[in-house]
Amino acid sequence: MADELELLRSADPVPPDGPHFGDGPLDHNAERRLERLLREPGEGHSGRLRDRPDRFSGPLRDRPGRLSGRLRDRWDQLSGRLRGPGDGAGPATDPHRSLPGSGRPRPVWGPRLAWGLAVTAVVAALTLTFVLSGPSTTPAVAAPRPLVIESGSTPVPLDRLAERAAAEAADGSPRSRKGTHVQSWSLGMSDDKPPITLPEERIVRWRPDGSHTELVVATDPRHPGRPVLSDAAGTPHLVDDRHVLLDRTYPPSWSDAPPQSPPPRDPARLRAYLMEARFTDTPLTTPELLDAMATLLDHWTLGARESAALARLLAGAEGLRPVGQVTDRLGRRGQAYVNDTGGVRRMLIMDPATGAVLGLESTLTEPEPAFGVEEGDVMSYSAWMR
């Protein structure tokens, strides 16, 4: 691969520091190298380059204002042969598109790079591939497997768990605290790259004066000390474990609207609170209720009484069935409750003693070839802590 990249570099007929632009003629060496790239399969390197249309399509054409006339025709010929039939540029990626059934935007990155960045991008991609899938090492940032129900474990109905939560909340301790501590994994997808999993940890703490701090680090507790994949800069890249992605202090602010306002301790009032947080006055479906719950837990660390109200509310959710005991990704034992809707399985994990929500996992129950994901792939996972 290195020799092919070198050929691409050296065959550039108009280097950035060169004296010729527009229709300037090729010198002897550039002409010879360009001819070498245009040879038929089996000669030189052109055959191997054409075998990688996914790596070399697009950027060769995206250099406006530099090539014209006979020179542009030659580069168009090269680009077309490397691109292959039917491989058009396609529409730009919409950063707000989301995977069907997810309810949350998916992280994406654009499919086209300028020619000046093409070689760097290919080298980075090869380095990333080697680091993540080297033959002699375990992948550093592999996608998490779906949580597995422990064989022989007894499912605990949600209404019984809600009764336990109410008993634990009798003394009112612990109390709710504004802010959150959450470890999350999310599936990042692109139209032209394989899906990747982005693990992050976020801690939000509020102060008495209404200001708050937010700390976000790239880390995966399943592989402590190992590199972590991040796309904080817009392009997937490896960073050191515990690399700080965001460390910010926000000025004082107040709001009496959910989810900024304190959550109620009554199930009926909590239902109305979550509906308002989702800007709707219609009853929430079970997937919507679970998504609203996740939004709440991303803003508040619930106290015992609020957790009991949430457990009672969830106990009345349609299609949320107990399936048994699991160990979550932070090593905590919990009871799992599953809802299957719209090709997505949502698994709620709750503390069997207190009824507090420990985590929420979303996995695909149907493949989505257009997004490069398969049945059983984990779309997202959140693990909340005190």
Side-chain angles (χ1 to χ4, degrees), residues 8-9 12 59-63 75 113-119:
L8 286 172
R9 292 190 191 99
D12 184 357
L60 295 177
R61 302 182 69 103
D62 295 341
R63 198 179 185 200
W75 277 98
L113 298 174
W115 166 252
L117 299 177
V119 172

Side-chain angles (χ1 to χ4, degrees), residues 130-368:
F130 176 77
V131 172
L132 301 186
S133 58
S136 60
T137 60
T138 302
V141 282
R145 294 180 179 274
L147 294 177
V148 178
I149 306 300
E150 295 182 12
S151 178
S153 61
T154 302
V156 177
L158 255 174
D159 55 356
R160 188 184 307 169
L161 190 66
E163 292 173 359
R164 293 181 186 175
E168 286 290 322
D171 64 354
S173 178
R175 296 184 178 275
S176 285
R177 182 180 69 243
K178 194 172 186 180
T180 189
H181 184 184
V182 57
Q183 176 77 43
S184 64
W185 290 258
S186 60
L187 194 65
M189 286 170 289
S190 167
D191 290 336
D192 62 345
K193 297 179 179 67
I196 60 173
T197 300
L198 306 169
E200 295 179 358
E201 184 172 355
R202 185 165 65 98
I203 301 175
V204 179
R205 292 288 179 259
W206 285 76
R207 298 167 174 169
D209 66 354
S211 64
H212 69 279
T213 61
E214 182 177 14
L215 174 66
V216 183
V217 298
T219 186
D220 189 340
R222 299 171 305 151
H223 308 294
R226 298 176 63 181
V228 179
L229 193 60
S230 173
D231 70 344
T235 302
H237 60 288
L238 285 172
V239 297
D240 291 336
D241 182 40
R242 311 299 302 182
H243 175 77
V244 175
L245 303 174
L246 177 68
D247 187 1
R248 184 176 297 172
T249 299
Y250 297 87
S253 63
W254 294 269
S255 173
D256 59 358
Q260 298 294 340
S261 58
R265 299 173 177 177
D266 173 76
R269 293 173 55 210
L270 181 59
R271 178 185 291 106
Y273 175 100
L274 295 177
M275 289 170 58
E276 186 176 352
R278 286 188 60 89
F279 304 101
T280 182
D281 56 1
T282 59
L284 300 177
T285 65
T286 297
E288 291 172 341
L289 176 60
L290 293 174
D291 287 344
M293 177 207 72
T295 299
L296 170 63
L297 296 177
D298 282 341
H299 287 81
W300 287 86
T301 301
L302 298 186
R305 290 176 177 172
E306 290 78 9
S307 289
L310 180 59
R312 177 58 62 189
L313 178 59
L314 292 168
E318 183 178 356
L320 190 58
R321 65 185 189 278
V323 291
Q325 185 170 271
V326 297
T327 300
D328 79 354
R329 292 190 171 85
L330 301 184
R332 303 173 298 183
R333 290 288 186 93
Q335 280 290 323
Y337 303 87
V338 167
N339 173 265
D340 292 299
T341 303
V344 176
R345 169 167 295 176
R346 291 170 175 85
M347 180 184 289
L348 173 69
I349 303 100
M350 303 180 73
D351 187 304
T354 67
V357 173
L358 301 179
L360 180 65
E361 175 182 82
S362 296
T363 59
L364 288 169
T365 57
E366 300 172 1
E368 288 286 349

